[in-house]
Amino acid sequence: MPWSRRLASAAVATLTAAVLLLSASTALAHEERPVAFPDGSGSVPVFRTQGPELLVCKTDRADFERRVAVFPADLKARNLELFERCAAKGYRHLQEAVDQVRGPGSIIRILPGTYLEEPSLAEPAEACRRLQARWSDLGYQILSFEQQRQCPHNQNLVAIMGVRDLQIEGTGAAPQDVIIDARYRKLNAIRADTSDGVYFRNFTAQRTTFNSLYVLATDGFVIDRVLTRWNDEYGFLTFASDHGLYKDCESYGNGDSGIYPGSASDLNDDRGHDVRRYAIEITGCKSHHNMTGYSGTAGDSVWAHDNEFYENMSGVAMDSLFPGHPGLPQNHAKFERNDIRDNNADYVKYIRDGTCAKPPAERGYEQGVVCPQIGTAPGTGILTAGGNYNVFSGNWIHGHERAAFQLFGAPAFLRGEEDLAKMFDTSHHNAYIGNRLGVSPSGERRPNEADLWWDGQGTANCWQADAVTTSPATVPVCGSRPGELAGPATGRVLGEPVKLAKLMVCAEYNAREARVPAGCDWFGATGLGRVDVQVTLGLSVFLGLVTGLLWWRRLRGSVLGTLGAVAVLAGLALDVPAVAYDHTVLPAVALVLTGAGWVAAGLALRRSRAAFGWTTVAVGALALVDAFDKAVLMLPLLPLGPGWIRGLVSVVWVLWAVVVLAHREPTRTAEAPA
């Protein structure tokens, strides 16, 4: 077995147990019945003005006239005419109208008003109280399609089950004129399940214990000028669906993300950057004041362009972390011309102070409370936790307190995958091209703290040449098109050791148990409170102690050895703050000092301990290579970064140093005179 593969295997073995433990504690983002992707034969529906019509309204004429009084004249007149017909022959609840749909192509028009759907809140029948189905970790049953159809209101305020080409539209001047309000008494406000061709337009859905608008296993849907808000989890959730379009939508106040196209149809899994088409398009939407503006476990083949994601904890996140999502690992999302700004919110404070332990209706969502359900990195524009062949181009990303981009791998164990061959199948071929970093669309200079934080894992990832403040300090540069690199590609199976330690600690976040990892800087840890700083400090103190003892016992009589020991100690001391400022040259400077010092000390040691001295030189040389890798050029062809190789060799060196220090040199006695 080649030496590089042996080193990779050794590093993997040290992580396997920790990863398995971590996977056991990872929360599930969204649990659903086993579902397959649609066959892709559908199409994106088109808004219709003609077709079989059903009207929904309330009967309080005075209230209705007050609501439409400020409408433009033509729209006011139309609504008044619709009200007359609806009062005579219409329905009082949206679900009643859905239940009366007799075939494809129907249009349900909802007149201005607030719809509480009181009949849907009735106690379920005996059979619906005794459904045999597994319970999710979040406390709801995972029902089959047949069970959802049999008992549509166990979980849903409005259930659309297997209805084709249904259009539901509000007739007001703005989405807020028609409100579907679950009042935190249902998991979903509106569920469209296996309902190809569904079109939603111009209304608000709000206040659920999961998500406002849920589209599942559907080939062809449109979400057009719809507002969702104040939900425990998601505003919009579309899952295992194809031919979808979000346009001009808005979402805020959600504990996970405003927009979530999870497990979008995996159309391009077998392709590179030359995609067939995109399964979901998102354009003209605003998602703000959520945990994340956009997220997508297995958000495959999603094209998001010309949107605004702002004032969330993090702007955009996609991942391959959670089991039960078809289409993993995530691949082929394209984000372009989005305005992603000021995603620095601190909503974890509501977990810490107990606000989120209250019942949902008492938490204060309407007053700005958000209860973050998953651990994310505040202050980040776009975060990719394990994804392949994603393209980020021409976005404005500005005003972030952490980084414009974060990219790190997601071991397959975390999504329940047991095939070892798939463990490192994420974070490959992602391209970051032509983004406007630290600049708003108006040209205002609004810098991010860093352009990029990357753990180093993956093959053929690349970044735009003007990404300056990056961690590591040098990264592979893209060519002019996705898939092209301006230089050699890297292909590493593991990220940097200290970064992995940080990620594993941060992943211990658990909202239901109010567990906020104390050592994670994502959640406020600073200085010596950060786990990555603690790990580095511990290693530096230990290595500094060994180096100091070696100098005292073996090197203090040597000028070269003394200079080497001083350089090593200086480098180890500098390495601690370098972790906190890893997007600067400090990590490389610390490595240069440490490496040069060990080379000098090793050359001094070789006179009395040749083999150990040359091993010390090798440790120093590896530190210098690590510095070159971080600050000048990431070395291709290495399955592990030099930090891993140096760490493994350093273990041998430390054990050897202990033996050298423990060994007492024989005392020389003078010969007696003749």
Side-chain angles (χ1 to χ4, degrees), residues 12 28 36 237 305 353 594:
V12 170
L28 297 178
L237 191 158
H305 63 95
D353 68 13
T594 305

Side-chain angles (χ1 to χ4, degrees), residues 67 71 111-115 170-180 201-206 225-230 248 250 252 288:
R67 291 174 182 270
F71 287 6
L111 277 63
T114 298
Y115 296 84
T171 65
Q176 296 91 329
D177 292 324
V178 173
I179 297 175
I180 313 298
R201 186 173 190 269
N202 195 34
F203 61 83
T204 295
Q206 65 185 35
R225 292 185 66 214
V226 177
L227 168 65
T228 56
R229 59 190 178 187
W230 305 326
D248 301 325
E250 184 176 7
Y252 58 85
H288 54 96

Side-chain angles (χ1 to χ4, degrees), residues 163-435:
V163 181
R164 290 182 55 86
D165 299 325
L166 175 63
Q167 180 171 303
I168 298 177
E169 59 174 289
T171 65
Q176 296 91 329
D177 292 324
V178 173
I179 297 175
I180 313 298
D181 190 354
R183 293 178 292 168
Y184 306 111
R185 297 176 66 178
K186 292 294 180 180
L187 204 65
N188 308 297
I190 300 176
R191 178 192 189 104
D193 195 332
T194 319
S195 295
D196 297 353
V198 67
Y199 198 116
F200 298 105
R201 186 173 190 269
N202 195 34
F203 61 83
T204 295
Q206 65 185 35
R207 299 201 298 178
T208 75
T209 59
F210 210 88
N211 44 263
S212 283
L213 182 56
Y214 185 14
V215 177
L216 173 64
T218 291
D219 195 352
F221 71 85
V222 173
I223 296 168
D224 177 6
R225 292 185 66 214
V226 177
L227 168 65
T228 56
R229 59 190 178 187
W230 305 326
N231 303 285
D232 274 358
E233 294 276 347
Y234 306 98
F236 301 101
L237 191 158
T238 58
F239 193 77
S241 295
D242 196 0
H243 290 103
L245 172 63
Y246 295 71
K247 67 174 184 177
D248 301 325
C249 64
E250 184 176 7
S251 190
Y252 58 85
N254 301 292
D256 197 295
S257 56
I259 298 173
Y260 180 90
S263 285
S265 193
D266 196 7
L267 307 171
N268 300 297
D269 181 50
D270 59 344
R271 303 176 73 87
H273 283 292
D274 180 24
V275 302
R276 294 182 177 89
R277 62 177 175 85
Y278 290 98
I280 308 290
E281 180 182 359
I282 303 170
T283 184
C285 291
K286 297 180 179 181
S287 187
H288 54 96
H289 298 90
N290 310 287
M291 185 191 79
T292 58
Y294 165 106
S295 70
T297 300
D300 305 332
S301 302
V302 174
W303 178 31
H305 63 95
D306 302 288
N307 303 289
E308 296 180 54
F309 304 105
Y310 59 95
E311 296 187 38
N312 308 284
M313 286 179 66
S314 55
V316 169
M318 59 208 72
D319 69 85
S320 301
L321 290 170
F322 303 102
H325 290 63
L328 289 170
Q330 186 274 331
N331 63 88
H332 290 94
K334 183 177 183 180
F335 278 72
E336 58 182 353
R337 299 189 306 276
N338 300 288
D339 184 5
I340 304 171
R341 63 183 186 271
D342 300 319
N343 293 289
N344 305 304
D346 175 19
Y347 294 129
V348 176
K349 63 186 179 183
Y350 298 119
I351 298 288
R352 288 193 174 100
D353 68 13
T355 298
C356 296
K358 299 176 182 178
E362 299 174 14
R363 293 174 185 171
Y365 288 162
E366 295 91 332
Q367 287 73 49
V369 170
V370 170
C371 292
Q373 299 299 311
I374 304 295
T376 190
T380 301
I382 298 179
L383 185 153
T384 306
N388 304 323
Y389 289 102
N390 298 301
V391 177
F392 307 97
S393 174
N395 301 286
W396 291 271
I397 307 177
H398 51 104
H400 293 99
E401 296 174 356
R402 191 169 307 278
F405 299 111
Q406 288 207 39
L407 172 66
F408 48 87
F413 285 126
L414 295 180
R415 61 178 190 267
E417 178 62 65
E418 297 180 357
D419 185 350
L420 289 176
K422 296 181 179 179
M423 184 171 179
F424 306 111
D425 61 354
T426 64
S427 292
H428 307 304
H429 301 279
N430 297 290
Y432 301 74
I433 302 172
N435 298 285

Side-chain angles (χ1 to χ4, degrees), residues 7-86:
L7 288 173
S9 298
V12 170
T14 62
L15 284 178
T16 300
V19 170
L20 287 171
L21 288 172
L22 178 60
S23 66
S25 64
T26 302
L28 297 178
H30 166 237
E31 294 181 84
E32 186 50 79
R33 69 175 189 261
V35 62
F37 293 122
D39 63 13
S41 61
S43 60
V44 178
V46 176
F47 182 75
R48 304 186 304 274
T49 57
Q50 301 295 322
E53 180 187 67
L54 299 93
L55 298 177
V56 181
C57 64
K58 298 300 181 182
T59 56
D60 187 334
R61 181 182 297 273
D63 178 72
F64 182 80
E65 290 179 348
R66 179 185 58 80
R67 291 174 182 270
V68 303
V70 295
F71 287 6
D74 289 349
L75 184 61
K76 176 181 177 181
R78 179 172 182 267
N79 271 275
L80 289 171
E81 185 271 329
L82 289 173
F83 182 81
E84 295 299 328
R85 290 197 282 126
C86 181

